[in-house]
Amino acid sequence: MEEKKWWKESVVYQIYPRSFMDSNGDGIGDLNGITSKLDYLKDLGVDVIWISPIYESPNDDNGYDISNYKAIMKEFGSMEDFDRLLSEAHKRNLKIVMDLVFNHSSDEHPWFVESKKSLDNPYRDYYVWKPAKDGEEPNNWRSWFSGPAWEYSKETDMYYLHIFSKKQPDLNWENDKVREELYSIIDWWCKKGVDGFRMDVINFISKVQSYPDGQKEDDQLYGDKIPYIANGPRVHEFLQEMNKQVLSKYDLITVGETTHVTTEDAKQYAGFDTHELNMVFQFEHMTLDYGKLGKWSTNRIPFIPLKKILSKWQYELEGKAWNSLYWENHDQPRIVSRLGNDSMEYRDLSAKMLGTCLLMMKGTPYIYQGQELGMTNIEFQSIEDFRDVEILNAYDEFLDNKLATAEEMMQYFNLKGRDNARTPMQWDESEHAGFTKGTPWIQVNPNYTYVNAKSQIKDSNSIYSYYKELIRFRKEMEVLVYGTYNLLEENDENLYVYTRTLGNTTLLVICNFTDKELSYAIPREYEQAKIIINNYPHRTNNSIIRPYEAVVYCKE
Ligand code: GLC
Ligand code: CA
């Protein structure tokens, strides 16, 4: 068996602090709010809490634009509040993972304020500056959040690079001083006692230094920047250096957010002996519903490719690198709406089925706040209701360039927009779902009256109670952590069937991804096996799989 590690055996819960719990009635979630809910998380059974950025920030991208890496955002509280959160978490044996945003800072970070002043400023090379090319931007890259990836700065008559919004200038990792500063920030948080880091778009830190134009079709506005920014020439060197200088000195959990990675890349980022990170978030299963306008489409995730991709990640990392498992995070719509069925009839069953399918796989599972309640997408009526910089910018860009109509954009945003994940956590049936006594910064999903934590905690058949069981199984059964994965019925259009095996123990996981009753005879050797998990009260017929049914057999 491969080496045992606590971070392989953990279940992580992600908190988006702005939307989790507001303690002081200003409508914005905060650190004291999180502290007040630690017992809820302990009861759920998770061991690690990843908190999206809580540092000082002008909030152009809700904290993913940091202006001081060693200070707490005022709206979220103070450093004392943070210290108390950390010690209260540790008292309960819960670990805290910080979100590190090191590809870029805020344009209000003192480094950038200095950097833009003059060519000979000591901080000039902390960022990426280029002169105009033929009177225009230095190249044809598009920013992730619409418009060119370069912003003109009149002080020095040059452009700076921003892969994300123009308030998120990219740090220049080629500069040794920048890397030293960043490593010392990690060290500072480690000395405070935090238990790990989630590293934002960490595979974008090394750019191809010639900054060439990207390939572009005639009908496109921008060229493809990905080959020049993702998994760049020095990325592994930088991560190994970071590992050597700081990460390896502590016992941490580290996970890199990496879009555009293959399993080959991941084996290097998260290999058992490559000395970079513990694991990465891959995106292949999250981009299957993309269309010609990227994520803005009405496509559903196709089922057979979904099984193929998840299985590929399971097989190829086996014994070599570690997987992370996720359906949701603060950038993704709600999975029960996206891949399950959020109707009155099937929300409960399909949420449990999706939880089973994910948490029985090999890798460290990440549960996003509200996923354990089967929280759904929200339907906003007006563009005014949205808050996300990605959505607001895309709306203008797509309309200006006639790429889609306003109605189409609204439909895309309601299906795929990031604000779906950012509506307040639904604690109870009181006003604003018990999230705040004030006016929430973004609307609460009206279904809080029946989708909420309070009612689910006391109901032993709820989605919450079911997740609790799934998590408990992961703690009790080594096969769920260390067992190998094997896909069955590869070409079945409706069922996801796989096994996990360790020594003499085998689990058979069967998930029906449709609202149809299917006939499926379970393999003979499981007929006498024990059913350890089922999202229906009883199983009476071994050859029928009911709508959105999930069942797990255990054979020893
Ligand atoms: C990551 C974050 C996302 C953020 C972006 C820029 O993808 O998850 O929320 O907008 O990086 O920091
Ligand atoms: Ca607050």
Side-chain angles (χ1 to χ4, degrees):
M1 194 166 81
E2 65 200 47
E3 206 185 340
K4 291 193 177 182
K5 294 278 185 194
W6 63 266
W7 42 265
K8 296 180 181 172
E9 298 170 10
S10 296
V11 176
V12 184
Y13 187 93
Q14 183 193 353
I15 288 180
Y16 195 66
R18 214 177 171 74
S19 305
F20 191 63
M21 181 65 200
D22 174 22
S23 70
N24 63 354
D26 65 356
I28 297 171
D30 46 51
L31 297 181
N32 289 339
I34 299 175
T35 308
S36 74
K37 294 295 184 186
L38 290 174
D39 289 331
Y40 168 83
L41 299 174
K42 189 66 197 171
D43 181 61
L44 180 59
V46 299
D47 350 64
V48 179
I49 304 170
W50 150 29
I51 311 178
S52 279
I54 54 174
Y55 317 89
E56 197 176 281
S57 162
N59 276 314
D60 185 55
D61 187 17
N62 289 351
Y64 282 89
D65 47 320
I66 297 167
S67 52
N68 185 342
Y69 290 95
K70 295 184 187 169
I72 299 294
M73 190 192 300
K74 293 219 169 45
E75 290 175 324
F76 289 169
S78 63
M79 195 55 86
E80 288 69 49
D81 295 335
F82 176 80
D83 292 340
R84 205 162 53 82
L85 165 59
L86 187 63
S87 80
E88 289 297 319
H90 285 168
K91 260 189 223 162
R92 291 168 177 78
N93 221 351
L94 292 166
K95 294 186 154 68
I96 298 287
V97 164
M98 300 294 281
D99 206 319
L100 275 184
V101 188
F102 275 176
N103 174 67
H104 44 268
S105 72
S106 162
D107 66 336
E108 297 180 36
H109 193 292
W111 296 337
F112 190 77
V113 173
E114 285 302 312
S115 183
K116 72 189 275 195
K117 282 183 181 161
S118 63
L119 296 176
D120 56 4
N121 188 285
Y123 290 92
R124 183 65 176 179
D125 290 336
Y126 272 47
Y127 296 87
V128 181
W129 292 97
K130 298 280 168 214
K133 200 176 82 190
D134 309 325
E136 289 184 8
E137 283 81 18
N139 69 26
N140 66 3
W141 299 355
R142 176 179 179 270
S143 133
W144 210 273
F145 296 152
S146 304
W150 299 91
E151 182 72 7
Y152 180 71
S153 176
K154 60 181 182 324
E155 286 83 351
T156 54
D157 186 28
M158 277 171 92
Y159 289 81
Y160 65 86
L161 175 70
H162 60 91
I163 298 297
F164 294 90
S165 96
K166 58 181 171 219
K167 289 188 65 65
Q168 295 168 299
D170 281 56
L171 284 158
N172 177 19
W173 277 69
E174 300 293 318
N175 182 342
D176 301 346
K177 275 203 234 128
V178 167
R179 301 201 306 281
E180 289 306 321
E181 299 254 25
L182 298 178
Y183 304 157
S184 83
I185 290 166
I186 301 181
D187 197 63
W188 190 85
W189 285 100
C190 287
K191 293 225 164 77
K192 247 188 183 302
V194 307
D195 305 288
F197 300 95
R198 176 266 187 189
M199 302 191 188
D200 194 68
V201 291
I202 198 68
N203 64 326
F204 285 5
I205 57 178
S206 164
K207 278 91 178 172
V208 169
Q209 289 302 296
S210 54
Y211 291 89
D213 275 335
Q215 219 183 42
K216 167 168 126 49
E217 308 297 330
D218 283 346
D219 61 341
Q220 283 177 336
L221 296 168
Y222 298 97
D224 180 12
K225 64 185 172 294
I226 295 299
Y228 310 108
I229 66 168
N231 316 310
R234 296 182 70 190
V235 68
H236 296 296
E237 174 197 333
F238 293 159
L239 286 175
Q240 282 160 26
E241 181 184 75
M242 180 198 287
N243 184 297
K244 184 156 174 231
Q245 290 198 19
V246 41
L247 301 180
S248 61
K249 307 213 160 95
Y250 303 88
D251 185 18
L252 303 168
I253 176 171
T254 55
V255 53
E257 187 208 23
T258 53
T259 73
H260 300 92
V261 281
T262 62
T263 50
E264 284 311 304
D265 298 322
K267 281 186 248 176
Q268 181 59 41
Y269 286 118
F272 290 147
D273 49 17
T274 52
H275 307 289
E276 296 187 17
L277 303 171
N278 294 157
M279 60 194 112
V280 294
F281 293 127
Q282 60 86 14
F283 280 73
E284 280 194 84
H285 65 310
M286 291 277 110
T287 52
L288 283 170
D289 54 5
Y290 280 27
K292 66 176 194 307
L293 297 178
K295 71 190 272 183
W296 307 124
S297 88
T298 54
N299 298 346
R300 292 274 293 186
I301 294 177
F303 186 57
I304 301 253
L306 176 74
K307 292 200 288 186
K308 277 222 167 77
I309 280 173
L310 291 176
S311 301
K312 177 182 77 181
W313 280 85
Q314 295 280 306
Y315 289 133
E316 295 200 6
L317 268 49
E318 176 63 41
K320 304 193 181 80
W322 193 248
N323 267 304
S324 68
L325 308 170
Y326 74 98
W327 286 137
E328 289 188 17
N329 60 42
H330 63 293
D331 295 329
Q332 302 293 340
R334 294 292 184 173
I335 200 64
V336 68
S337 302
R338 187 182 195 180
L339 192 54
N341 184 329
D342 62 10
S343 70
M344 279 294 196
E345 196 176 358
Y346 290 126
R347 186 185 61 86
D348 190 276
L349 280 169
S350 67
K352 291 172 180 169
M353 182 279 289
L354 289 164
T356 314
C357 186
L358 189 75
L359 268 78
M360 299 294 104
M361 285 190 201
K362 186 166 186 177
T364 300
Y366 289 73
I367 299 170
Y368 179 69
Q369 66 185 42
Q371 183 183 336
E372 77 282 16
L373 307 175
M375 276 179 64
T376 67
N377 282 354
I378 190 168
E379 198 165 329
F380 284 141
Q381 301 305 324
S382 146
I383 186 72
E384 263 52 300
D385 296 331
F386 291 96
R387 296 287 176 271
D388 177 15
V389 59
E390 179 183 44
I391 290 180
L392 300 175
N393 288 357
Y395 189 73
D396 293 339
E397 180 183 39
F398 284 41
L399 289 186
D400 289 350
N401 296 294
K402 301 209 165 35
L403 296 171
T405 65
E407 293 68 42
E408 284 166 338
M409 291 311 288
M410 285 297 293
Q411 197 187 4
Y412 299 152
F413 297 156
N414 278 325
L415 285 172
K416 305 285 170 66
R418 306 196 296 179
D419 281 339
N420 283 306
R422 301 175 181 186
T423 63
M425 177 72 176
Q426 294 166 205
W427 293 107
D428 59 38
E429 72 295 333
S430 71
E431 203 187 4
H432 309 312
F435 161 71
T436 179
K437 297 230 168 346
T439 308
W441 69 278
I442 186 169
Q443 278 172 43
V444 175
N445 192 315
N447 64 16
Y448 74 91
T449 51
Y450 61 92
V451 181
N452 64 64
K454 190 174 152 208
S455 63
Q456 293 199 25
I457 291 168
K458 53 180 191 235
D459 173 3
S460 61
N461 288 319
S462 66
I463 302 170
Y464 175 86
S465 299
Y466 189 89
Y467 262 87
K468 223 171 129 167
E469 283 282 293
L470 294 174
I471 296 167
R472 189 170 59 82
F473 274 116
R474 286 198 71 102
K475 302 284 142 194
E476 289 173 358
M477 304 189 76
E478 249 188 354
V479 60
L480 281 172
V481 179
Y482 297 106
T484 54
Y485 167 99
N486 190 36
L487 180 68
L488 307 181
E489 317 302 345
E490 200 179 323
N491 296 316
D492 191 298
E493 311 258 356
N494 309 302
L495 292 176
Y496 197 144
V497 187
Y498 63 88
T499 58
R500 297 288 309 279
T501 306
L502 186 71
N504 294 325
T505 310
T506 302
L507 302 181
L508 173 71
V509 182
I510 307 174
C511 295
N512 182 351
F513 273 68
T514 76
D515 59 4
K516 296 190 284 278
E517 182 166 295
L518 305 167
S519 61
Y520 174 71
I522 66 156
R524 261 255 158 78
E525 63 263 39
Y526 294 94
E527 274 167 10
Q528 302 304 321
K530 194 163 90 211
I531 292 176
I532 59 164
I533 295 171
N534 191 195
N535 61 350
Y536 278 80
H538 314 282
R539 251 187 92 68
T540 43
N541 185 334
N542 255 347
S543 44
I544 297 280
I545 310 289
R546 290 161 287 186
Y548 297 108
E549 181 161 13
V551 56
V552 181
Y553 290 84
C554 176
K555 182 165 72 74
E556 297 191 269

